[in-house]
Amino acid sequence: MERIRLGMVGGGKDAFIGAVHRIAARIDDKFELVAGALSSTPERSVASGEALGLKRVYEDYKTMAVREARRKDGIEAVAIVTPNHVHFKASREFLKRGIHVICDKPLTSSLQDAKKLVKAVEDSNVVFVLTHNYTGYPMVRQARQMIAHGEIGKIRVVQAEYPQDWLTINQDIKQARWRTDPTQSGLGGSTGDIGTHAFNLVCFVTGLEGESLAADLQAFVSGRQLDDNAHVMLRFKGGARGMLWSSQVAPGNENALRIRIYGDLGGLEWAQEDPNYLWHAPFGKTKRLITRNGAGAGDSAARMSRVPPGHPEGYLEGFANIYSEAAEAIISARAGHSPPDEVLYPTVYDGLKGVQFVAACVQSAARNSAWVRLD
Amino acid sequence: MERIRLGMVGGGKDAFIGAVHRIAARIDDKFELVAGALSSTPERSVASGEALGLKRVYEDYKTMAVREARRKDGIEAVAIVTPNHVHFKASREFLKRGIHVICDKPLTSSLQDAKKLVKAVEDSNVVFVLTHNYTGYPMVRQARQMIAHGEIGKIRVVQAEYPQDWLTINQDIKQARWRTDPTQSGLGGSTGDIGTHAFNLVCFVTGLEGESLAADLQAFVSGRQLDDNAHVMLRFKGGARGMLWSSQVAPGNENALRIRIYGDLGGLEWAQEDPNYLWHAPFGKTKRLITRNGAGAGDSAARMSRVPPGHPEGYLEGFANIYSEAAEAIISARAGHSPPDEVLYPTVYDGLKGVQFVAACVQSAARNSAWVRLD
Amino acid sequence: MERIRLGMVGGGKDAFIGAVHRIAARIDDKFELVAGALSSTPERSVASGEALGLKRVYEDYKTMAVREARRKDGIEAVAIVTPNHVHFKASREFLKRGIHVICDKPLTSSLQDAKKLVKAVEDSNVVFVLTHNYTGYPMVRQARQMIAHGEIGKIRVVQAEYPQDWLTINQDIKQARWRTDPTQSGLGGSTGDIGTHAFNLVCFVTGLEGESLAADLQAFVSGRQLDDNAHVMLRFKGGARGMLWSSQVAPGNENALRIRIYGDLGGLEWAQEDPNYLWHAPFGKTKRLITRNGAGAGDSAARMSRVPPGHPEGYLEGFANIYSEAAEAIISARAGHSPPDEVLYPTVYDGLKGVQFVAACVQSAARNSAWVRLD
Amino acid sequence: MERIRLGMVGGGKDAFIGAVHRIAARIDDKFELVAGALSSTPERSVASGEALGLKRVYEDYKTMAVREARRKDGIEAVAIVTPNHVHFKASREFLKRGIHVICDKPLTSSLQDAKKLVKAVEDSNVVFVLTHNYTGYPMVRQARQMIAHGEIGKIRVVQAEYPQDWLTINQDIKQARWRTDPTQSGLGGSTGDIGTHAFNLVCFVTGLEGESLAADLQAFVSGRQLDDNAHVMLRFKGGARGMLWSSQVAPGNENALRIRIYGDLGGLEWAQEDPNYLWHAPFGKTKRLITRNGAGAGDSAARMSRVPPGHPEGYLEGFANIYSEAAEAIISARAGHSPPDEVLYPTVYDGLKGVQFVAACVQSAARNSAWVRLD
């Protein structure tokens, strides 16, 4: 198989997530990064691209989209890894030229943009993949499969949390600056940056759809404009209830994303920082610790694994799984058919739900935590 | 020192908590159980008392109160370990006769009774101890001391949870029956039985006072009249915010009470099922695992400990600590003075706050999770 | 049932283990401590006994044995909680007068004494209980039952360890002084004080008998006369092999006794510091975490438990279980019959094996780790 | 920088470790796999190479060495990922043609070969890297740095273990067959396959050199010719003592490599299955949990990390770190100078020590666990 030719927008020097995308694209050897417009300023864009040894370096994403679309060996897919407010405009340029898009989350910085982007994807014929990367972890797939097979019964209670501590104080670093700036980040602080991950993850794993939420948002650090801590109560369609906590001011928490799902027949618990483990508690029986590729783990997890049990796979491998799913979808698209059923990746609709989640949080908080619908 | 002569109301055969109180009273050898009215029916009361070899067995608590009060060697204190709806009436009988009361939680089954009981205690001259037993764990004391000393700074976020799984299905056993019966349990199901513990514990540890809450209560099991799962958002006086989850339908959770407290200088995490450990995360420094009586643990924890570090103390020892605090208070009362400052136990006021917590949960849920004040 | 009248030898002020025995005897209310000779010096003995409020205080254990044996209401059992070198002589005084003995471990400070003590017990008609207290933990009983039922098949490998850190440096405290003094402690340092616990525990749990061992002993702390670290390879009768590590110089370890047992059908792992959990790994299936009194735990553990799952029981409860087993044996002896089959406690023969273990370790180390037989 | 042109020997279809090497080589984008002789049979070799889309596919490694050495764009380095008995002969072919070698462990299947290979490397001018991959984990580097800086003082005790369970029964799969066949694997079973990893790791972390060992080896599974369980006592130069356990028959253990190091000032503990954590216990102070890239972690770990704390890195990233170190060494070699001091990788001398370890284990076991020198 020929590697998929990939371009990148954003992800220049000092941009943590750009390097992550590049490694993720490389791990399973299905992509080759050949072009880039890696920064919002032309000079930095060129310098960053040359530093990476890219074949084709562009001053801005629009030029890249136009020129690559004309080449016979132009990029087939683009990774968009900019701050949130650029996602929509950049995606649109590639979508309309038939270039597949792998876009960072949250989908956009506003609900209006999100809806337009959904439309743009629907009007195109391309694969659009949103990197809610935690859905790529093998044991997340395992949990999803078990729930789909009814192993914990009808879901009643969902507990989701994503605490961090890095914004406990004001941080004057690039990663912090744009994330706490409404013009780049959008309406949500912790809700947008990490709350969307937690919300997406529980929906992915359970198959549930959010119905409404009630939120209490705080910006504890003096002068901060966006929430750095969010308490959210959730109601799902069909009667399940949930809580979601996102925080950037919880000392001792690095990326402590955790989900706990309880049905009438059992429970499941998974923590991102120890991702090779999944606790399964069938009601009335002894708790079981399922390990990635270990005894009792199923084919959904195995499909997303590279190494035997006891050799931990981590964040980059989970991220790579999203790229590999994207590759499968793109290869199917090349051949003009749909990808196999087992191929799963977050879509533009998941992205819209994420932006709706943020908007609902902000709206509920403004109305003293009144319930706000999620659709 | 002469042992304190103790009576017991409730706690007959098959009553789990009665045996716990008796062991707790015995561990530090400061009490001697001499009298009892151990059941709501006279026959069972007598049979249970005789089975325990009590010196004086009564058919009902009122008779016991009257007769013991007349004896020179009558009981000095009584443990009330009945279902909730009996707490108020039974307490009153002993209070008014100058007999110290050690009462199980929640304080009462209604807010009205709780307020009357506060009044009754105030009008008396006795020691009233509410067995929010988790406040007796050494590492809970450690956390409280650290917070009081400013080690995690100003509190911002409180996460409290108490999930269990035993009521995932309908259980036709005594312990379940009265807890799910509004006439015995009061307004709250999980909120009253375990939510009050979690709420009390975070207040005890942080020194914060609740301001208001917004709650979403569910009774997932068909036909159940009281909540078996509660999602609560909390606002504390002074600006801290919290979440509290109580559940009796979360498979895989036995008594998974856990509190996590985050201030602007650090975080603390403690879990009841592994009570000899306390995580301390000073912001910007490496996380530390403080162990009971281990290096770095303070005198508050040491005062509540019996054995060296690495030899775990558990639930019964924590419960015994409440009895030992009660004993200190009662001995001070014998001598006509106040107990030393370090003596700490949950009071009738803490009990009132617990009942207010339950009432507010129920009221908020009835008003679609509107914020309800806690005072 | 009338409480068993108990005396105590040793365990005066500052003696950690005396207080432990007293609490353990009290928890299940089957003993009443009425007499004591609590120190090796008459004055301290009397002072300590009076401080505890004992009815009858003696200057030395021999006087106590003689006088109590003459009383109609004399002690029925005695707890011997002195340094090791006193165990034999003190035990003998009570044995020969028909008073049951509950003796601390190791059995004696020399192999010669151990053999004499076995003989003395055999010549008597009393119950002799050695407080290898870790055999009283419910999940240790659970492991034993599972192995007896063949759940992990034929045992192949045993890993036992008991590291501590308190003697990493020279400690000039009473607890350290006698334990590092050959005239009080005997031949073994860490091997005698904690290695015997680990060795006893794996034998108890597996039902295996030691065949031979090869040991490498060290005294890392300058000037120390007894081993403070021991590496031991074990061969059991029937072909199983093991390793045992005892250490008092392993910083970060409090009382980290841990056993891991592997058979041809599965494995079991238990750690004393988290005693309410037992890992069971059936080969080829998912690992299971069995909890005390939780789903999947058996009747052996339940028999040793007081409170529901998720409410941790600890060291004192495990110790109390040994006392309760002793009580059952003594009550049976009162009635002139054998205790029920399920009553289990470490015997004088287990004590002899422990002393043989220490002697073999010392002998092997002296012979450059040659294999030394254990019988 | 131009990627290093890499060839591969072994690692065809169904060979787990070949895929691992390829991913590891790819993650940091410093290598490009261009040639291969991927199997011991010519047909499979060609088929496997074509399946991977390699530019140049060879029937056997000797042909590859000869032809690649002649090409201007020939491979600069080769990864040798065959069963053990091929390591020596294959390495020699590349070494003598000036092609750098990245070789799987153990170095060779016999001590004789190991010594010859050391000589061959010394006579060459190439970089020889042995993939004791666990030395590439960031927190292993952290531990090494802390020990080098004296943070735990003078080392006294080392506990190393590497239990697995996959050979609890006879497994008729390729991975098992060659590992249990003396003609392919060499003298050691578990000792060679995983014991060498554990031994190498403790030497790497502590800087200690083995002096002698005493071993008890078993082959528990009927008919197995090589050890599947090994108990080893270690003496290090300078006085430290250790234990090492390797097992392939310990149900419930996947790749449970763990090291614990104790000095006179503190202890360190690390487990491969949870590799982002390092426990540090400074004697007399509270235990600390250092996380990869987290607060308190040093530059040695940061140099080996790609993503922020709380986003776990795993086995493949650790393996990739060895490749990146190899790349640094090769790039330095290109320029004719030594690599920077911080570049660390296992060398042929480490490989020799590993083979000596296996030989000593076998010899000691044959002499009833007598101490055997390691040099």
Side-chain angles (χ1 to χ4, degrees), chain C residues 156-157 159 161 165-166 168-169 171 214-218 220-221 229 231-235 239 241-245 249-253 258 260 262-264 266-267 269 281 283 287 368-369 371, chain D residues 156-157 159 161 165-166 168-169 171 214-218 220-221 229 231-235 239 241-245 249-253 258 260 262-264 266-267 269 281 283 287 368-369 371:
Chain C
R156 289 170 168 173
V157 179
Q159 297 291 333
E161 61 188 42
D165 67 4
W166 68 303
T168 292
I169 57 173
Q171 299 274 19
D216 195 23
L217 305 190
Q218 300 82 33
F220 279 111
V221 172
N229 191 80
H231 294 166
V232 186
M233 300 195 298
L234 293 164
R235 291 177 178 164
R241 305 292 174 97
M243 293 176 99
L244 187 151
W245 171 46
V249 295
N253 290 282
R258 192 162 71 115
R260 296 178 285 176
Y262 304 102
D264 57 5
E269 304 189 358
F283 178 67
K287 265 173 125 163
N368 199 27
S369 311
W371 288 97
Chain D
R156 290 170 168 174
V157 179
Q159 297 290 334
E161 60 187 43
D165 65 5
W166 67 303
T168 293
I169 56 171
Q171 299 274 16
D216 195 23
L217 306 190
Q218 299 83 33
F220 279 112
V221 172
N229 190 81
H231 294 167
V232 186
M233 300 196 298
L234 292 164
R235 290 176 178 166
R241 304 293 174 98
M243 293 177 100
L244 187 150
W245 171 45
V249 295
N253 290 282
R258 191 161 72 117
R260 296 179 285 176
Y262 303 102
D264 57 6
E269 304 190 356
F283 178 67
K287 266 174 125 165
N368 200 25
S369 311
W371 288 98

Side-chain angles (χ1 to χ4, degrees), chain B residues 126-142:
Chain B
V126 307
V127 174
F128 185 94
V129 175
L130 192 72
T131 52
H132 273 308
N133 57 291
Y134 303 111
T135 62
Y137 273 114
M139 300 315 278
V140 164
R141 299 293 178 108
Q142 172 74 22

Side-chain angles (χ1 to χ4, degrees), chain A residues 49-328:
Chain A
E50 287 173 350
L52 285 177
L54 294 189
K55 288 182 187 162
R56 301 188 293 274
V57 176
Y58 297 96
E59 293 199 343
D60 60 84
Y61 64 77
K62 179 147 189 194
T63 308
M64 180 163 84
V66 170
R67 298 216 194 137
E68 289 288 322
R70 287 186 200 143
R71 298 178 68 103
K72 206 173 163 185
D73 66 347
I75 58 172
E76 299 170 81
V78 67
I80 297 173
V81 300
T82 63
N84 307 344
H85 66 303
V86 182
H87 292 175
F88 166 55
K89 287 185 184 164
S91 290
R92 197 171 48 177
E93 294 300 325
F94 293 91
L95 287 173
K96 68 185 182 195
R97 291 176 176 89
I99 294 169
H100 306 295
V101 174
I102 298 165
C103 182
D104 221 332
K105 47 50 60 186
L107 185 66
T108 60
S109 56
S110 77
L111 189 49
Q112 198 176 13
D113 282 357
K115 287 177 176 169
K116 285 187 200 161
L117 187 46
V118 168
K119 185 71 170 49
V121 173
E122 287 175 340
D123 292 346
S124 80
N125 203 15
V126 306
V127 174
F128 185 94
V129 175
L130 193 73
T131 53
H132 272 310
N133 56 291
Y134 303 111
T135 61
Y137 273 113
M139 299 316 278
V140 164
R141 298 295 177 107
Q142 172 75 23
R144 187 180 193 274
Q145 183 178 42
M146 291 174 73
I147 289 173
H149 288 185
E151 293 198 32
I152 63 167
K154 180 174 162 60
I155 307 295
R156 290 170 168 173
V157 179
V158 169
Q159 296 291 334
E161 60 188 42
Y162 195 153
Q164 299 179 326
D165 66 3
W166 70 302
L167 296 179
T168 293
I169 57 173
N170 260 313
Q171 298 275 16
D172 191 24
I173 54 172
K174 180 189 167 79
Q175 295 299 324
R177 273 196 303 267
W178 77 255
R179 279 184 173 79
T180 55
D181 174 3
T183 67
Q184 295 187 72
S185 200
L187 289 171
S190 78
T191 44
D193 199 37
I194 50 179
T196 49
H197 271 311
F199 181 68
N200 171 264
L201 191 61
V202 291
C203 292
F204 177 79
V205 164
T206 60
L208 294 174
E209 294 215 34
E211 183 179 87
S212 56
L213 63 75
D216 195 22
L217 306 189
Q218 301 82 34
F220 279 112
V221 172
S222 172
R224 189 164 287 163
Q225 292 179 269
L226 297 175
D227 69 85
D228 52 24
N229 190 80
H231 294 166
V232 186
M233 299 195 298
L234 292 164
R235 291 176 178 166
F236 294 93
K237 290 175 185 166
R241 304 293 173 98
M243 293 178 99
L244 187 150
W245 171 46
S246 65
S247 184
Q248 295 162 325
V249 296
N253 290 282
E254 294 176 340
N255 280 288
L257 171 60
R258 191 161 72 116
I259 57 172
R260 295 179 285 176
I261 319 280
Y262 304 102
D264 57 6
L265 299 180
L268 288 172
E269 304 191 357
W270 180 82
Q272 190 271 149
E273 295 191 351
D274 301 294
N276 296 278
Y277 303 107
L278 176 68
W279 279 105
H280 175 216
F283 178 67
K285 295 195 181 146
T286 308
K287 264 172 125 165
R288 309 159 68 227
L289 182 61
I290 309 175
T291 58
R292 191 188 45 75
N293 266 354
D299 54 358
S300 289
R303 194 178 153 266
M304 295 282 102
S305 291
R306 292 158 194 82
V307 291
H311 279 147
E313 296 197 29
Y315 173 83
L316 290 168
E317 290 88 336
F319 217 112
N321 285 337
I322 301 297
Y323 266 85
S324 287
E325 296 289 54
E328 290 233 40

Side-chain angles (χ1 to χ4, degrees), chain D residues 12 41-42 50 55 63 75 151 155 163 180 189 197 205 247 258 262 280 297 330-331 347 352 354 364 374:
Chain D
T41 58
E50 287 173 352
K55 288 183 188 164
T63 309
I75 58 172
E151 293 198 35
I155 306 295
T180 55
H197 271 310
V205 164
S247 185
R258 191 161 72 117
Y262 303 102
H280 174 216
I330 291 168
I331 290 161
T347 67
L352 175 60
S364 174
L374 276 164

Side-chain angles (χ1 to χ4, degrees), chain D residues 26 62 68 78 143 149 153 155 160 191 350:
Chain D
R26 211 151 53 217
K62 181 150 187 192
E68 288 290 321
V78 67
H149 288 184
I155 306 295
T191 45
D350 296 312

